[in-house]
Amino acid sequence: MNDKKVSLVLSGGGARGMAHLGVIRELWRRGYSIHAVAGCSIGAIVGAMLAMGKLEEFIAFMETDDGDAIFKQLDFTFSTNGFIKGQKLIERFQCFAPDCNMEDLSVKLVIVASDLRTGEQVVFRSGSVYRAMRASVAIPAVITAVEDSGHWLVDGGIINPLPLDCVARIAGDLLIAVNLYAAPLIPEAGKSISIVSGGVHDDPTFWEQIKEGWQNMTGWKENLMESLFESNNGKYDFFSTLRIMSEISSKRLAEQSLLLYPVDILVEIPIASCGIFSFGKIKELIRLGEQKAESALVRWQLNKQKDKQRSLLLNQIAKFWPFFKKK
């Protein structure tokens, strides 16, 4: 086994995906080489930036204005399938990471989307990086779907939030997965789940900017938007309840994927770490990813050493067993 060659799988999970950045940094720090990456939703964005060699530029952009840079790229629209186009953000990414074809990248990139028409997953291995990325991040009813030959492509996490079955592998590599749908879903009373404060509830800054943009277009919908996007202040309102339902479903799908496709190393980021739109906590989330990756890698190394010692012991027993039998 080539213990330093890695096939990396990055799950969806909104702002928790900033922990992906910390995991990758920790892998690099320890001398691992990532030769292939697969992801969906936020995992597709981070995976694409990694494959294009633009991860540090992406981090610098995301840290702009204390993590609020992404909110300044929200382009609202009148549409029956979403109220954010997402094109402005893609264009901003292209300023520091120009588009290219996936098949031309040195790191094998796979991006997963979902087809609303057929209910099947769509796996991108070639063609425009940004077209695949844009399809995979299309949160249904929020970010508009991508139309492709009569098919409507949306967030890959709906069907396969942890696409272990799609990543490119080579003989002897390590399969490492970063699952942003780990338990617990909500922080237990009086207990700190991570270094990220605030728990599963979102940064109110996001909702304030969403409401402002939408209300500028559709003032007559003010009452509806108040009920949908009001800061929950630690309580489960209409929107956060629907979101938790979605998180539970994704958590279960990720668990099923891990049962079907066992990994060598699993890095788990709890759902309770932060809200799905808490991009303002990027520095804390990167640090969380580094810590969780370090723990997982140390645990794997210890288990590897134990297995080696056990194997040596069994070999010694087998070597001297005939002598003991004669005695």
Side-chain angles (χ1 to χ4, degrees), residues 95-244:
C95 291
F96 58 84
D99 197 10
C100 60
N101 289 326
M102 299 170 71
E103 64 270 26
D104 294 334
L105 297 170
S106 58
V107 175
K108 297 294 183 183
L109 174 64
V110 174
I111 291 177
V112 177
S114 302
D115 187 340
L116 282 181
R117 180 179 178 184
T118 65
E120 300 292 331
Q121 76 174 1
V122 177
V123 181
F124 292 93
R125 292 187 173 90
S126 61
S128 164
V129 169
Y130 283 106
R131 181 166 179 78
M133 180 198 298
R134 176 60 183 81
S136 190
V137 302
I139 304 171
V142 178
I143 300 176
T144 57
V146 172
E147 194 275 332
D148 185 1
S149 301
H151 295 265
W152 290 95
L153 307 182
V154 295
D155 191 342
I158 294 174
I159 294 173
N160 194 357
L162 188 63
L164 293 167
D165 56 323
C166 300
V167 69
R169 301 293 305 275
I170 60 174
D173 67 359
L174 281 175
L175 178 57
I176 300 179
V178 187
N179 178 24
L180 306 180
Y181 294 105
L185 275 73
I186 57 175
E188 296 180 33
K191 293 186 179 181
S192 175
I193 188 60
S194 73
I195 58 172
V196 182
S197 62
V200 75
H201 301 288
D202 287 312
D203 186 341
T205 302
F206 173 79
W207 302 121
E208 290 167 4
Q209 295 193 40
I210 287 282
K211 286 194 298 181
E212 180 181 356
W214 183 270
Q215 288 168 0
N216 286 339
M217 294 172 58
T218 57
W220 60 274
K221 291 189 175 181
E222 181 176 355
N223 292 335
L224 172 62
M225 299 310 293
E226 283 291 330
S227 67
L228 190 59
F229 292 121
E230 189 61 56
S231 173
N232 50 49
N233 295 318
K235 298 179 181 179
Y236 284 99
D237 57 16
F238 173 79
F239 186 75
S240 59
T241 300
L242 289 179
R243 179 165 47 76
I244 282 293

Side-chain angles (χ1 to χ4, degrees), residues 11-16 157 161 179-186 199-202 236 239-255 269-277:
S11 86
R16 293 193 301 278
N179 178 24
L180 306 180
Y181 294 105
L185 275 73
I186 57 175
V200 75
H201 301 288
D202 287 312
Y236 284 99
F239 186 75
S240 59
T241 300
L242 289 179
R243 179 165 47 76
I244 282 293
M245 291 168 58
S246 174
E247 299 271 38
I248 291 171
S249 176
S250 295
K251 176 178 179 292
R252 183 59 175 164
L253 287 171
E255 290 169 347
I269 307 296
I271 293 172
S273 297
C274 73
I276 200 168
F277 293 113

Side-chain angles (χ1 to χ4, degrees), residues 70-112:
I70 195 169
F71 302 136
K72 295 180 179 179
Q73 309 302 319
L74 299 179
D75 43 358
F76 295 89
T77 182
F78 287 104
S79 173
T80 57
N81 64 66
F83 54 86
I84 298 174
K85 289 189 291 186
Q87 188 57 36
K88 187 177 178 182
L89 182 61
I90 295 295
E91 291 173 356
R92 182 64 184 85
F93 286 164
Q94 289 180 328
C95 291
F96 58 84
D99 197 10
C100 60
N101 289 326
M102 299 170 71
E103 64 270 26
D104 294 334
L105 297 170
S106 58
V107 175
K108 297 294 183 183
L109 174 64
V110 174
I111 291 177
V112 177

